[in-house]
Amino acid sequence: MVALSELNGLDLEGFVAALGGTFEFAPWVAKAAYARRPFATVAGLHETLMAIFRAAPREQQLAFLRGQTVLSRRAMTRDSEREHRGAGLETLGPRLAARYGEMNDAYLARFGYPFYIAVLRYSLAANFAELERRLAHDADTELATAVRELFFVTRLRIAAHVEGEGAPLVNGRLSTHVLDTQAGRPAAGLAIALYEEAAGRYHRVTTAVTNADGRTDRPLIGGRPLPIGRYELRFGVGDHFRRRGIEGGDPPFFDIVPLRFSIAEPEGHYHVPLLCTPWSYSTYRGS
Amino acid sequence: MVALSELNGLDLEGFVAALGGTFEFAPWVAKAAYARRPFATVAGLHETLMAIFRAAPREQQLAFLRGQTVLSRRAMTRDSEREHRGAGLETLGPRLAARYGEMNDAYLARFGYPFYIAVLRYSLAANFAELERRLAHDADTELATAVRELFFVTRLRIAAHVEGEGAPLVNGRLSTHVLDTQAGRPAAGLAIALYEEAAGRYHRVTTAVTNADGRTDRPLIGGRPLPIGRYELRFGVGDHFRRRGIEGGDPPFFDIVPLRFSIAEPEGHYHVPLLCTPWSYSTYRGS
Amino acid sequence: MVALSELNGLDLEGFVAALGGTFEFAPWVAKAAYARRPFATVAGLHETLMAIFRAAPREQQLAFLRGQTVLSRRAMTRDSEREHRGAGLETLGPRLAARYGEMNDAYLARFGYPFYIAVLRYSLAANFAELERRLAHDADTELATAVRELFFVTRLRIAAHVEGEGAPLVNGRLSTHVLDTQAGRPAAGLAIALYEEAAGRYHRVTTAVTNADGRTDRPLIGGRPLPIGRYELRFGVGDHFRRRGIEGGDPPFFDIVPLRFSIAEPEGHYHVPLLCTPWSYSTYRGS
Amino acid sequence: MVALSELNGLDLEGFVAALGGTFEFAPWVAKAAYARRPFATVAGLHETLMAIFRAAPREQQLAFLRGQTVLSRRAMTRDSEREHRGAGLETLGPRLAARYGEMNDAYLARFGYPFYIAVLRYSLAANFAELERRLAHDADTELATAVRELFFVTRLRIAAHVEGEGAPLVNGRLSTHVLDTQAGRPAAGLAIALYEEAAGRYHRVTTAVTNADGRTDRPLIGGRPLPIGRYELRFGVGDHFRRRGIEGGDPPFFDIVPLRFSIAEPEGHYHVPLLCTPWSYSTYRGS
């Protein structure tokens, strides 16, 4: 982590070295930015870097993209973060995984550079869908789309490596809250699991248990962008009321309550609470 | 269909013939009931038949059960009604289907008569679970359980063949209702599908589209007992608001809304409505 | 009550006599309609009568209006239906009641005919507000407004006196339904009161107790137009849960639950249900 | 404000002076507590003081109570905090205000000391009801009740004057939150008013406008005990949707939405949110 004020005071070599990882193999971006110091905000620094990239000749932009390895494919297969979330490429099944490889090859053949995407901002299924959608683009539209993804990738890198005033908002948050409206108090000790959709099935991302305030100690997803995609939250409502000794049918009318929703804004705050009795429940996008 | 008043007036031979199908291969039940005419209600007739069966010597009850074919296995494989609902034995997969066969064999070996169950009152999964549960019974408990199932089977037959005063309640009803609380009116033209759980997966039972009143023209299940089991209703909420031109996120925050619930009372009325906006919904067991 | 078919077959004198009460002191309307027989629907008959009135010379329309007694003032003071509903002119208090009289006088002075309004379609407060609003009209706008009210008045009369195909919809319905979502069943025996707003206070219109289905045996308002106005429903939620022995705070968190809403469509169906636990409730315009 | 550590280090005179205002005119309580220093927590200090008071001879307790001025009557008439909240004794109307005076006189005559109550923990109506209820007590029950009130009064004073570890919880909190579930976001700029019931009418306590998060910048009541009583929150839902240009009927189906609830725990947290569309709303006791 480098402070913005420190960055503003570096010499050219130091400045380029400090920002080297932002635009990989493209020191010309940082070099051009050097002249525009000092930067008042971290977001301003990032915007300047992107403005330099956008103003560069098309051939230079394409050269940059050609130099990128197949980021998203690697991310979808080996990336540790992805593995942690449990939805790697193999999740798609052999047929779709092969299809993903073929589409990457087709993309490279069509546009002359590998498929470039801000992999942290997409679920596996959304990444797949994006590749499919972008394959149909013409060259200009697709270049603009790749540069837009570059914007998100480099913004994340800047936010991770430079600290100071005016840091860009790069993280989203997914949270929940369970109220037992039969008892008029938070539902404590209730089991929650979060699933992410891929290839028509739901894969578990994380689990949690509600605390005394009916919330989870940590956000279900936090400290990173929310991957665009479809999700399902599952709440152990039947067990909760069984533990409380409340009659709710045998088997209980509601046992596991699923809430399905989509995330469309990776930097947004999604609060998806559950208000429940043994015989009713409601949910909403909260704040 | 025979009228109760007509039944009351028949001679012994006619009376036994008219009720012949109720207790298959056991004309002694109807014969004994003949002396107790006239019957004031259809339910009273059925209760009398069952009282006679229950008062019979244990050996006679066992002989009756031994004479029954393996009803539920047949029902779960070939029964047209079951096929129509889309959850036949093959739904369980080859491993569980084989296990079901083995358990039937074990049951026959243990109790000396085939597994007897009021097949219309159970989902495939519940039928399977009942067989598993009942295998652990001792002989007395299981005989009482089988006689209880006989009660439900014969009640359905009596209700289907005898008309008149005091008919027993044998049918349940599952219905829904969709209100668009954003517009303050019923959601018309919204697609609904009902699924039944078996072996951890949900199998489609029926589909419907809401009418101008937000209801389905016919109950989702009606005119029969509701099979005990786990269900999922799926509502095309995303499409509904898209058609109305209402913005609800891209992709929409809610697309297919699933409601999972259990049915525990085959003769009950389950009304499971959905109140929805693009950003919130609620449900409850209604009436 | 006269049948439409019978009406179609009457001679001129009989026809005019039969419809005499519809346009009071204006037999010329019925006379002109006689030539347009037969009428296929009751609504068609009414539309024809109104078309004749609308096509009449302005002076003839004004003469009709001048011949009307001060209907609404009488209705608001002595009308038995109004008294039954408990919100007569005295409800407004002496100051507003006097103001109502003055506005009627001003209206007569300004337009040359008494204030004409379909009194059954307005609450006392809405009637008052209409008079205030209409006093500011120019002569043409007000004549059109008075004729529109005449449309509603005569439609009610036709619907009340002529039966047959295609009867116009003249009645609305206000109903409710209480679900105890803690118990998962209708709330039976729960006390409900309906109030109507006038001069900033709420005056009781009717009371009811829910039946076994959580509904009232009769609509709260039915068999008549719903008076445009502001209403409050009050539900005895605290007593309901106290009777059930459910703890809900001492004093209970919710005791009398008030729902305030407006009726804007006298011929509409307003279903205003309550879903409640001791600690939560919801309502919506249902169907 | 004095620090607990400082208090622990004072000499007898200083200690008694520092705590002098807690038990007015009863330095014997503080004197006896001096020997039990040091105190580990503020709550422990308060419990010790009360234990000393409770262990004192009955006559000494009664002497203390006789020495109190008629606290609550004064509070209900002149207390600035009460006036601020807008529900002084005159709110009850002359008849009930006179009745309150008579009951105070009767209380003094019956028990030999003035009515003692922790006035901050009661609404005017609840204070009145307590006086009425306590008048029926026998001498022992009432003395215990008065001592319980003394517990609350002195706890508030200790919390206000001594700072340090283990401060007792003396304040409650009433908050709200408005979600526009039609838009899927907090309702900003929505007007809220809080009313308190007295003598069957609702008197305004405070008003607020929701901020960008749909909350109020400060709790509706906070930094003090919540007065036990009946309340009504009123939300300007009609105006909110009108500003957003959303059609909700003319007049709007919901205009001012009232939520009536009771507070029973002065030190509790009451969160009473509203989720609303133009055609539906729900509320619950949240956390």
Side-chain angles (χ1 to χ4, degrees), chain C residues 45-127:
Chain C
L45 164 64
H46 176 247
E47 281 152 22
T48 300
L49 294 167
M50 280 304 299
I52 289 163
F53 188 89
R54 286 203 177 94
R58 178 192 183 89
E59 187 45 44
Q60 195 165 13
Q61 295 182 2
L62 290 171
F64 173 87
L65 289 168
R66 281 193 294 266
Q68 300 299 311
T69 50
V70 185
L71 268 183
S72 60
R73 195 191 312 198
R74 187 182 60 193
M76 288 173 80
T77 48
R78 292 194 311 268
D79 183 80
S80 68
E81 191 272 340
R82 175 71 69 188
E83 282 159 24
H84 173 71
R85 296 183 56 241
L89 194 54
E90 70 287 358
T91 305
L92 296 172
R95 202 174 54 81
L96 288 178
R99 170 91 183 110
Y100 189 75
E102 289 161 19
M103 288 197 299
N104 263 280
D105 295 343
Y107 184 100
L108 181 58
R110 177 168 171 79
F111 298 112
Y113 52 87
F115 178 54
Y116 192 86
I117 190 167
V119 73
L120 284 175
R121 298 180 84 250
Y122 296 88
S123 70
L124 186 72
N127 182 313

Side-chain angles (χ1 to χ4, degrees), chain B residues 244-256:
Chain B
R244 280 193 51 218
I246 304 294
E247 201 265 322
D250 180 24
F253 186 57
F254 292 129
D255 187 5
I256 301 295

Side-chain angles (χ1 to χ4, degrees), chain A residues 132-153:
Chain A
E132 198 158 32
R133 189 178 69 81
R134 286 166 57 180
L135 261 173
H137 279 172
D138 60 42
D140 284 356
T141 305
E142 181 50 24
L143 179 54
T145 304
V147 171
R148 173 119 187 111
E149 293 298 313
L150 180 66
F151 172 90
F152 291 120
V153 168

Side-chain angles (χ1 to χ4, degrees), chain B residues 94-132:
Chain B
R95 202 173 56 80
L96 287 178
R99 171 89 182 112
Y100 189 74
E102 289 162 17
M103 289 197 298
N104 263 281
D105 295 343
Y107 184 100
L108 181 58
R110 178 169 170 79
F111 297 111
Y113 50 88
F115 178 55
Y116 192 86
I117 190 166
V119 72
L120 284 174
R121 297 179 87 250
Y122 296 88
S123 69
L124 187 72
N127 181 314
F128 190 99
E130 279 295 289
L131 176 47
E132 198 157 33

Side-chain angles (χ1 to χ4, degrees), chain A residues 202-284:
Chain A
Y202 284 84
H203 304 271
R204 193 161 66 195
V205 175
T206 190
T207 60
V209 173
T210 55
N211 57 27
D213 195 32
R215 301 176 193 270
T216 59
D217 288 338
R218 277 181 299 279
L220 295 165
I221 307 179
R224 51 157 293 157
L226 304 179
I228 291 167
R230 297 175 185 277
Y231 294 85
E232 182 170 301
L233 272 168
R234 296 185 192 161
F235 298 84
V237 167
D239 279 347
H240 168 75
F241 286 110
R242 200 175 295 123
R243 273 198 311 274
R244 282 193 50 219
I246 304 295
E247 202 265 323
D250 179 25
F253 186 57
F254 292 130
D255 188 5
I256 301 296
V257 166
L259 302 182
R260 279 189 196 170
F261 58 94
S262 287
I263 285 176
E265 304 157 27
E267 291 79 26
H269 180 197
Y270 286 77
H271 184 61
V272 186
L274 179 71
L275 284 64
C276 59
T277 78
W279 304 98
S280 65
Y281 66 84
S282 60
T283 189
Y284 52 90

